[in-house]
Amino acid sequence: MTSSGGGTSTGALRPPAAVALAGCLALAVAIGIGRFVYTPILPYMTTGLGLSKSEAGLIASANFLGYLLGALAAAWRPAPGDARLWLLGALAMSAATTGTMGLTTNLGVFLVLRFLNGGVAALAMVLASSLTMDRLAATGQAAWATAVYAGVGVGIAVSSLAVPAAASGDGDWQGPWLVCGIVSLALAVPVFLLLWGQRSPASVKAAVGGSGNRVSFHRFAFAYGLFGFGYIITATFISDMVRADPALQPAEPVVWLCVGLAAVPSVAFWGWAGRRWGNERAFASACLVEAAGVLLSVLGGSIWPVLLAAALLGGTFMGLTALGLVNARRLSVGDPRRNLALMTAAFGLGQMTGPALGGMLHDGTGSYLAPSLMAAAALALAAVLAAR
């Protein structure tokens, strides 16, 4: 039987738990580690390399630019050939660009590596979602999708433990990059074993159609872009915030772990909220919860408020991502791919702007207060727009 990506395979469909595990590990590698490991490593890089906050923000923004362009490319033109091979190649490239960060000290090379990493992260996100969703839908077990997206939180949690374990001191930033590259490659192997050699399901047509309200869609897309800007400043700099404050330094080993652990169940919870309250109201509620976390990260002043801020961030950002894309699909008429691409573009622009602007504001004011207040205001405005 022909596979969804054009290859040939005769094996039986695997159980839903195995398919969900493959998707979970793929997103753990490409997003949880590849895309977000920069956050816990950043304090080591600023100590060891003397990076300014502007340079740190620029490196983060390069990754998000790659993600934006990669997501748009994947949305507009599906990859030819076997999708499983593309996914495995993307995971291998994610591991390679992660590990190679530890082999250079050149800012330009950092920018290129993080740009490439962002591009393959987007490709892996699209392919892992489509491959696993097709298989889960074919077995009537689409509810397992929440386990797939829990992979982002799993990867964040894994990297939060691997980074301090791999660092030989406060200024050792190379070791964490190399170890996380190796861990990524190791986690990609089960994805290969779980996805390969099984029969692909008959193609499942995506549900399309909805209100087609262009005004509602454009307003919601703007809210989604504000969410991208609002979450990413804290998501990029929270570990560095903790290290910079002597009163908070004991929390550094666990602050990113809190983000990851809270992210694991968040998609399931906010998916339930979307079904119960409606996607727009759930999205608005999650934005306000996240805004509270962003404010706590700079106004809390002690360890427990900062850990709560990390939990609120982790417990909302993936749920908001899922709610946004689900609602974009609902507001589409016909093929929703264009709307999904526009949503991705809005999110990517906000996400790409946040770290660079946040770093510059920090360098100008000596504090993360101003960028965090701006981020919280953006999330509050996103909530208002979505609730309307």
Side-chain angles (χ1 to χ4, degrees):
M1 182 175 287
T2 303
S3 78
S4 62
T8 300
S9 181
T10 57
L13 283 171
R14 296 201 187 279
V19 175
L21 178 60
C24 175
L25 292 176
L27 295 189
V29 169
I31 309 294
I33 299 177
R35 191 166 165 222
F36 285 119
V37 73
Y38 180 64
T39 297
I41 295 180
L42 177 57
Y44 296 89
M45 294 183 73
T46 54
T47 300
L49 293 173
L51 286 178
S52 70
K53 299 303 184 288
S54 297
E55 291 171 330
L58 189 62
I59 293 170
S61 292
N63 184 260
F64 300 135
L65 174 61
Y67 187 87
L68 166 63
L69 297 180
L72 289 175
W76 285 111
R77 185 176 294 277
D82 194 325
R84 293 169 302 180
L85 287 176
W86 280 96
L87 174 59
L88 296 171
L91 296 181
M93 186 68 172
S94 179
T97 52
T98 297
T100 306
M101 284 287 290
L103 301 178
T104 182
T105 59
N106 184 276
L107 177 61
V109 178
F110 286 153
L111 295 175
V112 171
L113 287 173
R114 294 306 288 162
F115 174 82
L116 293 174
N117 183 275
V120 297
L123 181 61
M125 181 74 162
V126 172
L127 292 175
S129 298
S130 62
L131 284 168
T132 55
M133 292 306 100
D134 283 354
R135 285 158 172 76
L136 292 173
T139 58
Q141 299 292 329
W144 280 91
T146 55
V148 173
Y149 292 104
V152 177
V154 170
I156 289 174
V158 168
S159 67
S160 73
L161 297 173
V163 167
S168 61
D170 286 346
D172 177 18
W173 55 273
Q174 292 107 324
W177 281 114
L178 293 169
V179 167
C180 287
I182 294 169
V183 170
S184 295
L185 198 57
L187 291 177
V189 172
V191 180
F192 173 83
L193 297 176
L194 290 167
L195 288 182
W196 206 255
Q198 66 166 308
R199 175 173 61 84
S200 295
S203 70
V204 179
K205 255 186 195 177
V208 297
S211 68
N213 188 323
R214 300 308 300 170
V215 174
S216 294
F217 171 75
H218 288 132
R219 185 170 61 239
F220 191 74
F222 185 49
Y224 200 59
L226 289 170
F227 151 58
F229 176 84
Y231 99 94
I232 197 58
I233 292 175
T234 308
T236 299
F237 294 112
I238 189 167
S239 293
D240 196 58
M241 293 178 192
V242 169
R243 177 172 287 196
D245 187 339
L248 302 179
Q249 285 175 359
E252 185 182 348
V254 295
V255 67
W256 196 236
L257 179 62
C258 285
V259 173
L261 293 178
V264 171
S266 65
V267 175
F269 172 78
W270 290 109
W272 169 84
R275 292 187 297 273
R276 186 174 179 86
W277 306 335
N279 291 325
E280 291 93 342
R281 289 183 179 180
F283 186 93
S285 300
C287 281
L288 293 177
V289 172
E290 189 163 286
V294 169
L295 291 174
L296 269 178
S297 70
V298 290
L299 299 177
S302 61
I303 290 176
W304 289 109
V306 167
L307 293 181
L308 177 58
L312 294 177
L313 174 68
T316 50
F317 83 96
M318 278 307 299
L320 280 163
T321 301
L323 284 170
L325 295 179
V326 167
N327 205 49
R329 195 176 190 86
R330 185 184 68 81
L331 293 172
S332 301
V333 172
D335 186 353
R337 190 167 52 185
R338 181 173 181 273
N339 275 3
L340 293 175
L342 290 172
M343 290 286 284
T344 301
F347 178 80
L349 287 172
Q351 183 177 243
M352 184 177 62
T353 305
L357 180 58
M360 288 188 290
L361 285 173
H362 180 281
D363 284 348
T365 64
S367 167
Y368 286 111
L369 179 61
S372 296
L373 292 176
M374 188 181 300
L379 288 165
L381 179 56
V384 171
L385 292 173
R388 288 184 62 192

